[in-house]
Amino acid sequence: MTATAPCHGTRKEQANNPFTEARPADTQPADTTPHNHRQRAGHIEAKVAAVNQLAALLDEHWPGGKAVFYELDSDIAMAFLERFPTPASAAKLTAGRLEVWCKRHGYPGKKPGSVLIERLRSAPKAASRLSEQTAGQLICVQVQLVQGARATIRTLDKAISETTEKHPYAPLFATMPRIGKASLGQAIGEIGPILERAQSCEQLIAEAGVVPVTRASGKSRTVAFRFATNRRARVALTTFADNSRHGNDWAAKIYNDARARKKRHPHAVRILARAWLRVMWACWRDGACYDPAIHQANGKINTAVEPPLTA
């Protein structure tokens, strides 16, 4: 039994598209991009939960340690809590000593030691009944948990960056506005498989979940949000679309026009995401890298007219 290539558009499009060449199934390596991103999303959720638990511990046992730096999961905050896990360990800190310590650990902020020490001293006193040793041990263990989650996320970021650079679809979308390496890898991993199996742009838009479902029967017609869809692909696409409007006038106009029509923010982002999917479809179909002069001329995409999908 021989493997057959999936249908990507018309035969003419398949013949002219270098990205749709079939390879035997046993020699085609699995794409690890979506798996890396999904695992990264899980680790980010774990990190957020660990940071929230650390914040709760500090509120109970040492509010001053939480108040010194703005971001609790930053490098400098983690280093500070490792060195000063309890109020007693920071009792001899002065503005000068804290400023020297911050410089030694590469503090990126511009706050002087006097401001930082004031944050530390003006924080509420702990209401904990635990001993200093027990409270310090709890905080140190939680800091190690946060550090472990941050380390795994950095490892996954590196793996995602390496696989994205080698992916054949990366050059097509790499020049899109505000896409970034993480967003590019997520878009390739989640939307790429849909691009490969979609036979039309309308099918691509429907499977990505950025178009509503229309049901009609007799004189009844309802339009509702599409729940049965690839949610990971929708999240990847809407995240990129929302970022793109801050760096592209064409995208900003589509979003602002939707908001002017009284669309809520999530709805306006999905409208913009549909426009970007048409751009992605045109790039993938023609095997051409994204070019604003071509794909956004007069606010329209140079693509063939296709019949809309029926609900």
Side-chain angles (χ1 to χ4, degrees):
M1 182 175 179
T2 58
T4 58
C7 181
H8 308 307
T10 64
R11 292 183 178 179
K12 182 179 179 181
E13 292 172 357
Q14 293 181 50
N16 296 331
N17 190 347
F19 297 97
T20 58
E21 296 179 357
R23 288 190 294 174
D26 56 348
T27 61
Q28 185 172 0
D31 185 9
T32 60
T33 306
H35 302 285
N36 288 336
H37 273 280
R38 293 167 188 174
Q39 188 174 22
R40 180 180 183 271
H43 283 232
I44 288 177
E45 293 180 1
K47 188 198 79 169
V48 171
V51 171
N52 290 339
Q53 188 174 0
L54 175 61
L57 279 173
L58 293 173
D59 286 336
E60 182 179 0
H61 303 296
W62 191 31
K66 178 183 175 183
V68 179
F69 300 103
Y70 180 71
E71 293 183 357
L72 189 57
D73 62 336
S74 62
D75 292 336
I76 188 68
M78 292 289 100
F80 180 83
L81 291 174
E82 286 180 342
R83 175 61 182 85
F84 308 103
T86 61
S89 61
K92 296 183 179 180
L93 268 180
T94 62
R97 290 178 179 178
L98 183 56
E99 189 166 346
V100 171
W101 184 91
C102 288
K103 289 181 180 179
R104 188 184 307 125
H105 288 80
Y107 173 51
K110 299 181 180 180
K111 300 296 182 182
S114 58
V115 174
L116 298 178
I117 201 69
E118 178 62 24
R119 292 178 183 176
L120 180 65
R121 302 303 183 208
S122 62
K125 292 185 178 180
S128 174
R129 296 182 178 180
L130 298 179
S131 64
E132 288 279 341
Q133 182 180 1
T134 303
Q137 184 178 9
L138 292 176
I139 292 174
C140 287
V141 169
Q142 194 63 30
V143 168
Q144 292 174 8
L145 181 60
V146 176
Q147 291 280 53
R150 295 174 74 240
T152 57
I153 291 172
R154 286 193 294 266
T155 302
L156 288 171
D157 285 341
K158 183 178 179 181
I160 290 170
S161 178
E162 293 175 353
T163 55
T164 301
E165 290 178 357
K166 299 176 182 178
H167 201 285
Y169 292 173
L172 299 180
F173 312 133
T175 55
M176 288 183 169
R178 295 290 185 97
I179 193 165
K181 289 185 177 181
S183 184
L184 175 61
Q186 190 176 18
I188 291 174
E190 302 296 347
I191 301 174
I194 305 177
L195 272 170
E196 294 173 354
R197 66 173 176 266
Q199 299 185 18
S200 67
C201 186
E202 294 298 325
Q203 179 184 349
L204 171 66
I205 293 173
E207 289 199 30
V210 292
V211 66
V213 176
T214 302
R215 296 182 177 89
S217 177
K219 296 182 179 180
S220 174
R221 183 176 182 272
T222 60
V223 179
F225 180 76
R226 185 181 294 269
F227 288 97
T229 187
N230 188 330
R231 297 185 181 182
R232 292 190 179 99
R234 179 162 58 195
V235 169
L237 183 61
T238 53
T239 301
F240 156 66
D242 192 21
N243 291 335
S244 70
R245 65 187 177 90
H246 299 289
N248 184 270
D249 295 336
W250 174 80
K253 183 178 184 302
I254 293 177
Y255 174 84
N256 293 331
D257 289 347
R259 294 288 285 167
R261 298 194 302 269
K262 308 299 182 182
K263 306 297 183 183
R264 295 172 60 247
H265 169 72
H267 192 177
V269 170
R270 290 195 297 271
I271 292 173
L272 176 57
R274 287 203 295 270
W276 277 119
L277 270 183
R278 296 185 186 279
V279 173
M280 291 180 176
W281 173 263
C283 293
W284 180 85
R285 178 198 62 193
D286 301 333
C289 298
Y290 166 74
D291 184 358
I294 297 175
H295 299 110
Q296 297 175 7
N298 300 321
K300 297 182 180 180
I301 308 303
N302 183 18
T303 184
V305 178
E306 298 163 346
L309 293 178
T310 58

